[in-house]
Amino acid sequence: YSCLIFKSDVVGVEVRLECKVYDGNTYTLNYEGQDLDLHDFSGSISFSTIPDTVAPSVLTTSPNDLAVNISLATLIEIRFDDQMDEASTLTAVSSSPDAGCTWTLSVTKDMLECSPTNLQGNTTYTITVAETAQDTSGKNLIGAGLCRGSPPCSYEFVFSTLVTATTGSLAVTISGAPDGLAKVRVTGPNSYSS
């Protein structure tokens, strides 16, 4: 563990420590110094942190599970309820079919993000975070409410991209209309009248 020491040059002011510690460990802080009368002193303080026994789970996703008509330019996000271990979490996430994701874990270690490069229109994607993803305390992910198999299981969510428009041209020849005037109606998924 590491600590920052804050002290004051004012006589009688306490020294304050700010330490980064981890769940379920015991720490000992040794100290030594001299008082104002130049007497040496030393000692130690020990303390333990409470073990983290709760397995991590997925809080939210974007797109939401079962979302439809998702843009091909969407950002995919998976938010966890705990700080996640980067190595195990990045190797645990996948998409089917391949969305072209290079996943990154946020600085706060609680969100995976991907700007997909391979989303296709009118396609259903399944994003999976395998139970091998671990939090920073080494506990494996639990599938929670959207676990679609028998526990322990992966977390999955599904979304569908929007139907891509078909482009093309239409040529119509009209004969026999007086003075070249005619009314044309084109029907289909997108209607047009002229």
Side-chain angles (χ1 to χ4, degrees):
Y1 67 100
S2 61
C3 296
L4 297 175
I5 300 174
F6 299 90
K7 65 178 186 171
S8 172
D9 294 329
V10 178
V11 175
V13 173
E14 295 179 2
V15 174
R16 179 174 53 98
L17 299 176
E18 288 186 4
C19 303
K20 181 175 182 173
V21 295
Y22 299 94
D23 299 329
N25 288 296
T26 298
Y27 298 93
T28 300
L29 177 64
N30 297 314
Y31 60 90
E32 61 182 47
Q34 233 176 27
D35 66 18
L36 294 175
D37 295 326
L38 303 179
H39 297 108
D40 292 334
F41 63 88
S42 64
S44 64
I45 299 171
S46 293
F47 62 94
S48 297
T49 56
I50 298 171
D52 180 2
T53 59
V54 179
S57 62
V58 173
L59 280 177
T60 60
T61 63
S62 178
N64 295 326
D65 188 39
L66 303 177
V68 295
N69 293 325
I70 299 301
S71 166
L72 301 183
T74 194
L75 176 67
I76 302 173
E77 297 176 331
I78 304 168
R79 184 170 296 280
F80 300 93
D81 65 353
D82 203 347
Q83 292 184 331
M84 301 301 287
D85 169 69
E86 186 168 15
S88 68
T89 304
L90 291 178
T91 58
V93 66
S94 63
S95 63
S96 179
D98 181 18
C101 281
T102 299
W103 292 95
T104 57
L105 189 62
S106 65
V107 175
T108 56
K109 297 187 180 288
D110 65 347
M111 187 166 62
L112 281 173
E113 298 175 318
C114 163
S115 294
T117 59
N118 197 35
L119 290 182
Q120 303 298 313
N122 197 28
T123 304
T124 299
Y125 289 88
T126 300
I127 307 296
T128 302
V129 184
E131 68 275 5
T132 55
Q134 296 181 338
D135 66 12
T136 54
S137 298
K139 290 177 304 310
N140 288 62
L141 180 78
I142 57 172
L146 295 176
C147 185
R148 292 188 168 99
S150 299
C153 63
S154 303
Y155 181 93
E156 292 182 346
F157 67 103
V158 176
F159 65 90
S160 298
T161 53
L162 38 88
V163 176
T164 54
T166 303
T167 59
S169 60
L170 172 67
V172 178
T173 303
I174 300 173
S175 60
D179 298 327
L181 298 175
K183 188 159 191 121
V184 175
R185 173 177 229 141
V186 177
T187 60
N190 298 311
S191 296
Y192 173 79
S193 292
S194 172

PDB file of all heavy atoms in Angstrom, residues 28-58:
ATOM      1  N   THR A  28       0.191  -2.676   8.676  1.00  0.00           N
ATOM      2  CA  THR A  28       0.909  -2.171   9.835  1.00  0.00           C
ATOM      3  C   THR A  28       1.674  -0.932   9.405  1.00  0.00           C
ATOM      4  O   THR A  28       2.415  -0.961   8.413  1.00  0.00           O
ATOM      5  CB  THR A  28       1.895  -3.217  10.393  1.00  0.00           C
ATOM      6  OG1 THR A  28       1.147  -4.379  10.770  1.00  0.00           O
ATOM      7  CG2 THR A  28       2.644  -2.684  11.603  1.00  0.00           C
ATOM      8  N   LEU A  29       1.482   0.144  10.146  1.00  0.00           N
ATOM      9  CA  LEU A  29       2.167   1.404   9.886  1.00  0.00           C
ATOM     10  C   LEU A  29       3.185   1.621  11.002  1.00  0.00           C
ATOM     11  O   LEU A  29       2.815   1.753  12.172  1.00  0.00           O
ATOM     12  CB  LEU A  29       1.148   2.549   9.850  1.00  0.00           C
ATOM     13  CG  LEU A  29       1.714   3.944   9.664  1.00  0.00           C
ATOM     14  CD1 LEU A  29       2.390   4.073   8.304  1.00  0.00           C
ATOM     15  CD2 LEU A  29       0.606   4.967   9.794  1.00  0.00           C
ATOM     16  N   ASN A  30       4.466   1.600  10.645  1.00  0.00           N
ATOM     17  CA  ASN A  30       5.534   1.855  11.613  1.00  0.00           C
ATOM     18  C   ASN A  30       5.887   3.334  11.579  1.00  0.00           C
ATOM     19  O   ASN A  30       5.907   3.943  10.504  1.00  0.00           O
ATOM     20  CB  ASN A  30       6.775   1.019  11.269  1.00  0.00           C
ATOM     21  CG  ASN A  30       6.494  -0.457  11.350  1.00  0.00           C
ATOM     22  OD1 ASN A  30       5.901  -0.936  12.298  1.00  0.00           O
ATOM     23  ND2 ASN A  30       6.902  -1.191  10.325  1.00  0.00           N
ATOM     24  N   TYR A  31       6.149   3.902  12.731  1.00  0.00           N
ATOM     25  CA  TYR A  31       6.510   5.312  12.780  1.00  0.00           C
ATOM     26  C   TYR A  31       7.643   5.522  13.775  1.00  0.00           C
ATOM     27  O   TYR A  31       7.858   4.723  14.696  1.00  0.00           O
ATOM     28  CB  TYR A  31       5.296   6.178  13.129  1.00  0.00           C
ATOM     29  CG  TYR A  31       4.681   5.864  14.465  1.00  0.00           C
ATOM     30  CD1 TYR A  31       5.124   6.514  15.611  1.00  0.00           C
ATOM     31  CD2 TYR A  31       3.652   4.935  14.578  1.00  0.00           C
ATOM     32  CE1 TYR A  31       4.558   6.224  16.851  1.00  0.00           C
ATOM     33  CE2 TYR A  31       3.087   4.639  15.798  1.00  0.00           C
ATOM     34  CZ  TYR A  31       3.543   5.283  16.935  1.00  0.00           C
ATOM     35  OH  TYR A  31       2.992   4.996  18.156  1.00  0.00           O
ATOM     36  N   GLU A  32       8.370   6.596  13.579  1.00  0.00           N
ATOM     37  CA  GLU A  32       9.426   7.011  14.510  1.00  0.00           C
ATOM     38  C   GLU A  32       9.631   8.495  14.343  1.00  0.00           C
ATOM     39  O   GLU A  32       9.290   9.068  13.315  1.00  0.00           O
ATOM     40  CB  GLU A  32      10.720   6.237  14.253  1.00  0.00           C
ATOM     41  CG  GLU A  32      11.301   6.424  12.878  1.00  0.00           C
ATOM     42  CD  GLU A  32      12.561   5.601  12.663  1.00  0.00           C
ATOM     43  OE1 GLU A  32      12.572   4.413  12.994  1.00  0.00           O
ATOM     44  OE2 GLU A  32      13.534   6.188  12.154  1.00  0.00           O
ATOM     45  N   GLY A  33      10.151   9.124  15.357  1.00  0.00           N
ATOM     46  CA  GLY A  33      10.374  10.564  15.307  1.00  0.00           C
ATOM     47  C   GLY A  33      11.003  11.068  16.583  1.00  0.00           C
ATOM     48  O   GLY A  33      11.515  10.294  17.402  1.00  0.00           O
ATOM     49  N   GLN A  34      10.948  12.381  16.737  1.00  0.00           N
ATOM     50  CA  GLN A  34      11.514  13.047  17.905  1.00  0.00           C
ATOM     51  C   GLN A  34      10.534  14.107  18.380  1.00  0.00           C
ATOM     52  O   GLN A  34       9.950  14.814  17.556  1.00  0.00           O
ATOM     53  CB  GLN A  34      12.830  13.736  17.501  1.00  0.00           C
ATOM     54  CG  GLN A  34      13.991  13.369  18.347  1.00  0.00           C
ATOM     55  CD  GLN A  34      15.274  14.006  17.844  1.00  0.00           C
ATOM     56  OE1 GLN A  34      15.262  15.057  17.211  1.00  0.00           O
ATOM     57  NE2 GLN A  34      16.376  13.373  18.145  1.00  0.00           N
ATOM     58  N   ASP A  35      10.344  14.193  19.679  1.00  0.00           N
ATOM     59  CA  ASP A  35       9.455  15.234  20.191  1.00  0.00           C
ATOM     60  C   ASP A  35      10.224  16.545  20.300  1.00  0.00           C
ATOM     61  O   ASP A  35      11.405  16.624  19.957  1.00  0.00           O
ATOM     62  CB  ASP A  35       8.811  14.803  21.507  1.00  0.00           C
ATOM     63  CG  ASP A  35       9.792  14.636  22.654  1.00  0.00           C
ATOM     64  OD1 ASP A  35      10.916  15.164  22.575  1.00  0.00           O
ATOM     65  OD2 ASP A  35       9.426  13.958  23.632  1.00  0.00           O
ATOM     66  N   LEU A  36       9.558  17.602  20.798  1.00  0.00           N
ATOM     67  CA  LEU A  36      10.183  18.922  20.878  1.00  0.00           C
ATOM     68  C   LEU A  36      11.348  18.976  21.867  1.00  0.00           C
ATOM     69  O   LEU A  36      12.198  19.852  21.765  1.00  0.00           O
ATOM     70  CB  LEU A  36       9.129  19.972  21.243  1.00  0.00           C
ATOM     71  CG  LEU A  36       8.046  20.189  20.183  1.00  0.00           C
ATOM     72  CD1 LEU A  36       6.989  21.146  20.689  1.00  0.00           C
ATOM     73  CD2 LEU A  36       8.658  20.687  18.892  1.00  0.00           C
ATOM     74  N   ASP A  37      11.374  18.030  22.816  1.00  0.00           N
ATOM     75  CA  ASP A  37      12.477  17.965  23.773  1.00  0.00           C
ATOM     76  C   ASP A  37      13.592  17.045  23.278  1.00  0.00           C
ATOM     77  O   ASP A  37      14.459  16.648  24.044  1.00  0.00           O
ATOM     78  CB  ASP A  37      11.959  17.491  25.139  1.00  0.00           C
ATOM     79  CG  ASP A  37      11.002  18.486  25.759  1.00  0.00           C
ATOM     80  OD1 ASP A  37      11.189  19.708  25.550  1.00  0.00           O
ATOM     81  OD2 ASP A  37      10.039  18.040  26.416  1.00  0.00           O
ATOM     82  N   LEU A  38      13.529  16.671  22.002  1.00  0.00           N
ATOM     83  CA  LEU A  38      14.521  15.822  21.342  1.00  0.00           C
ATOM     84  C   LEU A  38      14.560  14.402  21.888  1.00  0.00           C
ATOM     85  O   LEU A  38      15.590  13.732  21.835  1.00  0.00           O
ATOM     86  CB  LEU A  38      15.915  16.465  21.390  1.00  0.00           C
ATOM     87  CG  LEU A  38      16.010  17.871  20.781  1.00  0.00           C
ATOM     88  CD1 LEU A  38      17.426  18.410  20.923  1.00  0.00           C
ATOM     89  CD2 LEU A  38      15.596  17.867  19.327  1.00  0.00           C
ATOM     90  N   HIS A  39      13.432  13.924  22.439  1.00  0.00           N
ATOM     91  CA  HIS A  39      13.326  12.524  22.862  1.00  0.00           C
ATOM     92  C   HIS A  39      12.838  11.694  21.673  1.00  0.00           C
ATOM     93  O   HIS A  39      11.872  12.060  21.011  1.00  0.00           O
ATOM     94  CB  HIS A  39      12.339  12.371  24.032  1.00  0.00           C
ATOM     95  CG  HIS A  39      12.763  13.106  25.255  1.00  0.00           C
ATOM     96  ND1 HIS A  39      12.127  14.243  25.677  1.00  0.00           N
ATOM     97  CD2 HIS A  39      13.764  12.869  26.133  1.00  0.00           C
ATOM     98  CE1 HIS A  39      12.698  14.692  26.780  1.00  0.00           C
ATOM     99  NE2 HIS A  39      13.723  13.865  27.076  1.00  0.00           N
ATOM    100  N   ASP A  40      13.513  10.588  21.434  1.00  0.00           N
ATOM    101  CA  ASP A  40      13.113   9.700  20.343  1.00  0.00           C
ATOM    102  C   ASP A  40      11.864   8.917  20.729  1.00  0.00           C
ATOM    103  O   ASP A  40      11.664   8.596  21.900  1.00  0.00           O
ATOM    104  CB  ASP A  40      14.240   8.710  20.017  1.00  0.00           C
ATOM    105  CG  ASP A  40      15.457   9.395  19.416  1.00  0.00           C
ATOM    106  OD1 ASP A  40      15.290  10.470  18.807  1.00  0.00           O
ATOM    107  OD2 ASP A  40      16.565   8.849  19.548  1.00  0.00           O
ATOM    108  N   PHE A  41      11.033   8.627  19.753  1.00  0.00           N
ATOM    109  CA  PHE A  41       9.882   7.759  19.970  1.00  0.00           C
ATOM    110  C   PHE A  41       9.669   6.916  18.720  1.00  0.00           C
ATOM    111  O   PHE A  41      10.110   7.268  17.628  1.00  0.00           O
ATOM    112  CB  PHE A  41       8.612   8.547  20.332  1.00  0.00           C
ATOM    113  CG  PHE A  41       8.135   9.480  19.247  1.00  0.00           C
ATOM    114  CD1 PHE A  41       7.276   9.030  18.254  1.00  0.00           C
ATOM    115  CD2 PHE A  41       8.543  10.814  19.217  1.00  0.00           C
ATOM    116  CE1 PHE A  41       6.834   9.884  17.259  1.00  0.00           C
ATOM    117  CE2 PHE A  41       8.099  11.665  18.215  1.00  0.00           C
ATOM    118  CZ  PHE A  41       7.244  11.211  17.234  1.00  0.00           C
ATOM    119  N   SER A  42       8.997   5.800  18.881  1.00  0.00           N
ATOM    120  CA  SER A  42       8.660   4.929  17.757  1.00  0.00           C
ATOM    121  C   SER A  42       7.500   4.048  18.158  1.00  0.00           C
ATOM    122  O   SER A  42       7.159   3.940  19.342  1.00  0.00           O
ATOM    123  CB  SER A  42       9.864   4.080  17.334  1.00  0.00           C
ATOM    124  OG  SER A  42      10.235   3.210  18.379  1.00  0.00           O
ATOM    125  N   GLY A  43       6.901   3.414  17.191  1.00  0.00           N
ATOM    126  CA  GLY A  43       5.788   2.529  17.468  1.00  0.00           C
ATOM    127  C   GLY A  43       5.174   2.026  16.179  1.00  0.00           C
ATOM    128  O   GLY A  43       5.719   2.222  15.088  1.00  0.00           O
ATOM    129  N   SER A  44       4.050   1.379  16.300  1.00  0.00           N
ATOM    130  CA  SER A  44       3.349   0.898  15.111  1.00  0.00           C
ATOM    131  C   SER A  44       1.849   0.865  15.384  1.00  0.00           C
ATOM    132  O   SER A  44       1.413   0.753  16.531  1.00  0.00           O
ATOM    133  CB  SER A  44       3.850  -0.484  14.697  1.00  0.00           C
ATOM    134  OG  SER A  44       3.555  -1.430  15.690  1.00  0.00           O
ATOM    135  N   ILE A  45       1.112   0.968  14.330  1.00  0.00           N
ATOM    136  CA  ILE A  45      -0.345   0.892  14.379  1.00  0.00           C
ATOM    137  C   ILE A  45      -0.753  -0.146  13.334  1.00  0.00           C
ATOM    138  O   ILE A  45      -0.297  -0.101  12.192  1.00  0.00           O
ATOM    139  CB  ILE A  45      -1.000   2.243  14.030  1.00  0.00           C
ATOM    140  CG1 ILE A  45      -0.578   3.319  15.024  1.00  0.00           C
ATOM    141  CG2 ILE A  45      -2.511   2.118  13.966  1.00  0.00           C
ATOM    142  CD1 ILE A  45      -1.017   4.718  14.613  1.00  0.00           C
ATOM    143  N   SER A  46      -1.594  -1.103  13.713  1.00  0.00           N
ATOM    144  CA  SER A  46      -2.091  -2.106  12.772  1.00  0.00           C
ATOM    145  C   SER A  46      -3.599  -1.962  12.611  1.00  0.00           C
ATOM    146  O   SER A  46      -4.292  -1.598  13.567  1.00  0.00           O
ATOM    147  CB  SER A  46      -1.772  -3.524  13.263  1.00  0.00           C
ATOM    148  OG  SER A  46      -0.386  -3.744  13.252  1.00  0.00           O
ATOM    149  N   PHE A  47      -4.069  -2.240  11.425  1.00  0.00           N
ATOM    150  CA  PHE A  47      -5.502  -2.207  11.166  1.00  0.00           C
ATOM    151  C   PHE A  47      -5.817  -3.166  10.027  1.00  0.00           C
ATOM    152  O   PHE A  47      -4.950  -3.519   9.234  1.00  0.00           O
ATOM    153  CB  PHE A  47      -5.992  -0.795  10.830  1.00  0.00           C
ATOM    154  CG  PHE A  47      -5.383  -0.202   9.593  1.00  0.00           C
ATOM    155  CD1 PHE A  47      -6.027  -0.313   8.367  1.00  0.00           C
ATOM    156  CD2 PHE A  47      -4.161   0.466   9.649  1.00  0.00           C
ATOM    157  CE1 PHE A  47      -5.471   0.226   7.226  1.00  0.00           C
ATOM    158  CE2 PHE A  47      -3.598   1.011   8.508  1.00  0.00           C
ATOM    159  CZ  PHE A  47      -4.249   0.892   7.295  1.00  0.00           C
ATOM    160  N   SER A  48      -7.064  -3.593   9.962  1.00  0.00           N
ATOM    161  CA  SER A  48      -7.506  -4.508   8.908  1.00  0.00           C
ATOM    162  C   SER A  48      -8.694  -3.900   8.173  1.00  0.00           C
ATOM    163  O   SER A  48      -9.501  -3.180   8.765  1.00  0.00           O
ATOM    164  CB  SER A  48      -7.937  -5.860   9.500  1.00  0.00           C
ATOM    165  OG  SER A  48      -6.844  -6.491  10.118  1.00  0.00           O
ATOM    166  N   THR A  49      -8.782  -4.196   6.902  1.00  0.00           N
ATOM    167  CA  THR A  49      -9.932  -3.763   6.115  1.00  0.00           C
ATOM    168  C   THR A  49     -10.900  -4.931   5.977  1.00  0.00           C
ATOM    169  O   THR A  49     -10.510  -6.090   6.044  1.00  0.00           O
ATOM    170  CB  THR A  49      -9.487  -3.276   4.720  1.00  0.00           C
ATOM    171  OG1 THR A  49      -8.751  -4.306   4.080  1.00  0.00           O
ATOM    172  CG2 THR A  49      -8.637  -2.024   4.823  1.00  0.00           C
ATOM    173  N   ILE A  50     -12.158  -4.614   5.788  1.00  0.00           N
ATOM    174  CA  ILE A  50     -13.207  -5.632   5.692  1.00  0.00           C
ATOM    175  C   ILE A  50     -13.129  -6.303   4.318  1.00  0.00           C
ATOM    176  O   ILE A  50     -13.010  -5.624   3.293  1.00  0.00           O
ATOM    177  CB  ILE A  50     -14.589  -4.993   5.886  1.00  0.00           C
ATOM    178  CG1 ILE A  50     -14.681  -4.384   7.274  1.00  0.00           C
ATOM    179  CG2 ILE A  50     -15.703  -6.000   5.649  1.00  0.00           C
ATOM    180  CD1 ILE A  50     -15.915  -3.534   7.492  1.00  0.00           C
ATOM    181  N   PRO A  51     -13.186  -7.628   4.275  1.00  0.00           N
ATOM    182  CA  PRO A  51     -13.160  -8.299   2.968  1.00  0.00           C
ATOM    183  C   PRO A  51     -14.402  -7.973   2.143  1.00  0.00           C
ATOM    184  O   PRO A  51     -15.494  -7.851   2.673  1.00  0.00           O
ATOM    185  CB  PRO A  51     -13.142  -9.786   3.320  1.00  0.00           C
ATOM    186  CG  PRO A  51     -12.834  -9.869   4.767  1.00  0.00           C
ATOM    187  CD  PRO A  51     -13.222  -8.564   5.383  1.00  0.00           C
ATOM    188  N   ASP A  52     -14.189  -7.801   0.854  1.00  0.00           N
ATOM    189  CA  ASP A  52     -15.298  -7.592  -0.087  1.00  0.00           C
ATOM    190  C   ASP A  52     -15.797  -8.971  -0.494  1.00  0.00           C
ATOM    191  O   ASP A  52     -15.109  -9.721  -1.168  1.00  0.00           O
ATOM    192  CB  ASP A  52     -14.792  -6.820  -1.303  1.00  0.00           C
ATOM    193  CG  ASP A  52     -15.875  -6.551  -2.327  1.00  0.00           C
ATOM    194  OD1 ASP A  52     -17.041  -6.927  -2.094  1.00  0.00           O
ATOM    195  OD2 ASP A  52     -15.551  -5.970  -3.371  1.00  0.00           O
ATOM    196  N   THR A  53     -17.006  -9.323  -0.084  1.00  0.00           N
ATOM    197  CA  THR A  53     -17.533 -10.662  -0.367  1.00  0.00           C
ATOM    198  C   THR A  53     -18.637 -10.660  -1.421  1.00  0.00           C
ATOM    199  O   THR A  53     -19.177 -11.706  -1.742  1.00  0.00           O
ATOM    200  CB  THR A  53     -18.087 -11.292   0.926  1.00  0.00           C
ATOM    201  OG1 THR A  53     -19.117 -10.443   1.440  1.00  0.00           O
ATOM    202  CG2 THR A  53     -16.990 -11.461   1.962  1.00  0.00           C
ATOM    203  N   VAL A  54     -18.970  -9.486  -1.951  1.00  0.00           N
ATOM    204  CA  VAL A  54     -20.062  -9.384  -2.916  1.00  0.00           C
ATOM    205  C   VAL A  54     -19.495  -9.468  -4.332  1.00  0.00           C
ATOM    206  O   VAL A  54     -18.606  -8.699  -4.710  1.00  0.00           O
ATOM    207  CB  VAL A  54     -20.834  -8.068  -2.732  1.00  0.00           C
ATOM    208  CG1 VAL A  54     -21.949  -7.944  -3.755  1.00  0.00           C
ATOM    209  CG2 VAL A  54     -21.384  -7.971  -1.319  1.00  0.00           C
ATOM    210  N   ALA A  55     -20.023 -10.403  -5.112  1.00  0.00           N
ATOM    211  CA  ALA A  55     -19.584 -10.564  -6.499  1.00  0.00           C
ATOM    212  C   ALA A  55     -20.077  -9.390  -7.347  1.00  0.00           C
ATOM    213  O   ALA A  55     -21.166  -8.864  -7.113  1.00  0.00           O
ATOM    214  CB  ALA A  55     -20.107 -11.878  -7.063  1.00  0.00           C
ATOM    215  N   PRO A  56     -19.296  -8.975  -8.344  1.00  0.00           N
ATOM    216  CA  PRO A  56     -19.727  -7.857  -9.196  1.00  0.00           C
ATOM    217  C   PRO A  56     -20.829  -8.278 -10.159  1.00  0.00           C
ATOM    218  O   PRO A  56     -20.973  -9.459 -10.487  1.00  0.00           O
ATOM    219  CB  PRO A  56     -18.438  -7.511  -9.964  1.00  0.00           C
ATOM    220  CG  PRO A  56     -17.698  -8.802 -10.047  1.00  0.00           C
ATOM    221  CD  PRO A  56     -17.996  -9.515  -8.747  1.00  0.00           C
ATOM    222  N   SER A  57     -21.602  -7.308 -10.610  1.00  0.00           N
ATOM    223  CA  SER A  57     -22.638  -7.568 -11.612  1.00  0.00           C
ATOM    224  C   SER A  57     -22.743  -6.355 -12.525  1.00  0.00           C
ATOM    225  O   SER A  57     -22.189  -5.290 -12.241  1.00  0.00           O
ATOM    226  CB  SER A  57     -23.984  -7.871 -10.948  1.00  0.00           C
ATOM    227  OG  SER A  57     -24.425  -6.773 -10.200  1.00  0.00           O
ATOM    228  N   VAL A  58     -23.466  -6.515 -13.623  1.00  0.00           N
ATOM    229  CA  VAL A  58     -23.687  -5.429 -14.570  1.00  0.00           C
ATOM    230  C   VAL A  58     -24.863  -4.593 -14.070  1.00  0.00           C
ATOM    231  O   VAL A  58     -25.923  -5.128 -13.745  1.00  0.00           O
ATOM    232  CB  VAL A  58     -23.963  -5.980 -15.982  1.00  0.00           C
ATOM    233  CG1 VAL A  58     -24.365  -4.856 -16.935  1.00  0.00           C
ATOM    234  CG2 VAL A  58     -22.745  -6.724 -16.505  1.00  0.00           C
TER     235      VAL A  58
END
